[in-house]
Amino acid sequence: MHGVVAGSSRESVAAGAELLRAGGTAVDAAIAAAFATSAGDGAITSLAGGGALIVRQADDGAVEVCDFFANAPGLGGRRFADGGSLPALDFHAVEVDFGATRQPFHIGRGAAAVPGAIPGLVAAWRRWGTLPLATVLGPAVRCLREGVPLGEFHAHCIGLLTSILGSSPLGRERFLDADGHARPAGSLFVNPSLADTLERLGREEPERFYETELAPRIADDFGEERGGWITAEDLRRWRPEFRAPIEFRHGDSRVFSNPAPSVGGRFIELTLGLFDELGLPLSTEEPERHLRVTAALRAVSELRDEVPDLLERSDAPRLLRRRAREILEGVAGAPPGGAGETSLGNTVHISVVDAVGNAAGVTISHGEGNGHEIDRTGILMNNFLGEADLFPRGFHRFTPGERLHTMMAPGIVVGDDGALFVVGSGGSNRIRTALSQVISALAREGIDPQAAVERPRIHFEGGVLSAETFGLPGGARDLDPARRLASRCDLFDAPSLFFGGVNVACRLADGTVTGAADLRRNGTVSIV
């Protein structure tokens, strides 16, 4: 046995499995799978976004995080300076039709942040990879050149994103038919331009190829003269950051997660701490359990704007716990006001554990894309500057050169009995609630990983309680006590992609390797 890969699409999982069979480690497999999302999740994420990779070494148990998320642009630029004549910022809203509702998303060249996916994944390969980069990129190149059939979930997402994908020639050519409609499931998806780009990346010195070929195109296509923010200085100054993870205990396990400037890890730590204070899990009836989960999620939700300002403080966990307690004490009061804008959350996650116990989890996103390609590369650009979840205090309020905050939180859970779980999710601001509930089920309740992933979920944001009701003994009635804490309740009678997509790779205490995939977002598992 070589290991297990759990991920967002059959192509990304197959790429990781191929690397394990070739003798690669969990990190080789995770990086290969991340690049292969360009084939299996090409409309949902891209290599002009950013992400985070968490790694645990089997020999000594050391855990480290590679932060390759996006930076705020504008270093050396003129948009924040007085004087100078520049084209207007290309930044505008388009509506996405979800059927029951329509929601605006902000795209355009001015929505692009400084991407980190390609240089970050290359840096991770330099640090931990054991196989040649061309071998790691091989599955993605082959899928992009030969083509893969669109899966049902991918086709569904293309349908949701038609107004964004239709904004670029690349998006129209690769994802839409002649009438501008989403191509149906089963249609062949190819992207030979991106295959060429990745072939060159693997064949040439990758850092030099990025610096001399890709970075200048990004600066030209998304710079100030084209209505964007990105400068050549932004691209020169971007660096991957290798960081120590945050670490805390929950149940009989140690949990490692993404540290500052990510907010996701701290939110999860805080949520799980509140679960403990509220006496979760419960052996009592379901309504009381849902009430307490909702109370914790509401308290954390109300701290959303405070977390970024506290992240760098050594006493952040203590301060956040104190503020959460204050909120919990008044939780029976009037519910907060209306909901804010929520992102679709085009984020994917892959978890890998290899046969000897090396573990890696990678989360990657490009927002919803900004409707433009990096010229002649086959790569659609991110719209992180147009993500309301990244800028809850308002758009264009950023400091050039700073790493953007993200909810991404790839994590590793290590049980006192030796069990090992790699966890992560897509889902924008639902990442924190999805992972908190799954980690608690694994670490506190000892639930089977697949059952933990499939359990109905709750999310609380902006006064709105969102909850899945399938499988509840009393159905929607089980949520009646929890509803009192919300100004509105949105119920889902079937698993929904709204609640994220948690994929888990496991090495149990007895050495058994297994995994769990979230069907909410087309999750797939391969035991190799």
Side-chain angles (χ1 to χ4, degrees), residues 223-246:
E224 293 178 323
E225 298 299 330
R226 300 290 300 277
W229 292 90
I230 295 176
T231 68
E233 183 69 8
D234 289 324
L235 293 157
R236 282 193 296 269
R237 294 274 295 274
W238 186 94
R239 292 289 184 275
E241 299 290 344
F242 292 91
R243 310 181 192 275
I246 63 168

Side-chain angles (χ1 to χ4, degrees), residues 104-180:
F105 292 88
H106 290 80
I107 66 170
R109 298 181 193 275
V114 184
I118 289 178
L121 290 170
V122 168
W125 167 78
R126 285 281 187 208
R127 191 177 189 90
W128 294 301
T130 64
L131 297 179
L133 184 59
T135 302
V136 172
L137 296 172
V141 171
R142 186 172 61 250
C143 287
L144 291 165
R145 194 172 303 287
E146 297 176 1
V148 296
L150 288 175
E152 292 283 352
F153 178 76
H154 199 181
H156 171 67
C157 291
I158 292 170
L160 294 177
L161 296 169
T162 296
S163 58
I164 298 175
L165 294 170
S167 299
S168 71
L170 176 69
R172 291 192 296 272
E173 181 181 3
R174 298 301 168 199
F175 299 105
L176 308 183
D177 63 21
D179 297 321

Side-chain angles (χ1 to χ4, degrees), residues 257-295:
S257 191
N258 202 8
S262 165
V263 296
R266 284 297 182 205
F267 271 126
I268 292 168
E269 179 186 15
L270 180 59
T271 302
L272 293 175
L274 293 181
F275 283 0
D276 286 341
E277 291 195 18
L278 290 169
L280 292 165
L282 289 173
S283 58
T284 57
E285 67 276 12
E286 290 287 332
E288 179 63 22
R289 178 180 178 276
H290 296 314
L291 173 62
R292 297 190 193 190
V293 170
T294 301

